[in-house]
Amino acid sequence: MTRVVFLLVPQLHLLDLAGPAQVFSSAADLGHEYELHYVSEREQVPTVQGVSLFARTEWPELTPDDLLMVPGWRPTAHGPAGPVSPDD
């Protein structure tokens, strides 16, 4: 089974998450061996569109066959994007 892990960062774009998630979810419904996971540094993740998402803060065990997906996000208006976590 291939794990598809979505790394959710603050201010992500919903469409950048929903499109790929739907593709892999539909493929799993059709019998392909995909298992979807959503992880983040914090359980609650704000999106650019104002809808908060919830994710696990612990990573699943990964293998070289697994996929990591990072949806697009909006960097802050205060200059170039820095670390994802405001605590870094």
Side-chain angles (χ1 to χ4, degrees):
M1 172 149 316
T2 299
R3 287 174 198 80
V4 181
V5 181
F6 291 88
L7 175 59
L8 307 185
V9 299
Q11 299 305 313
L12 70 89
H13 292 285
L14 287 173
L15 185 59
D16 290 353
L17 170 64
Q22 181 64 44
V23 168
F24 287 106
S25 176
S26 294
D29 290 344
L30 294 172
H32 297 279
E33 295 189 1
Y34 291 115
E35 181 180 279
L36 279 61
H37 297 267
Y38 304 90
V39 297
S40 181
E41 290 183 333
R42 294 182 180 85
E43 287 183 355
Q44 188 171 358
V45 183
T47 67
V48 172
Q49 290 74 28
V51 176
S52 291
L53 303 175
F54 291 90
R56 294 180 181 228
T57 56
E58 294 182 21
W59 286 78
E61 189 173 325
L62 301 176
T63 70
D65 293 331
D66 296 330
L67 299 172
L68 174 61
M69 304 289 291
V70 183
W73 71 92
R74 180 182 294 166
T76 64
H78 306 291
V84 172
S85 170
D87 297 332
D88 290 339

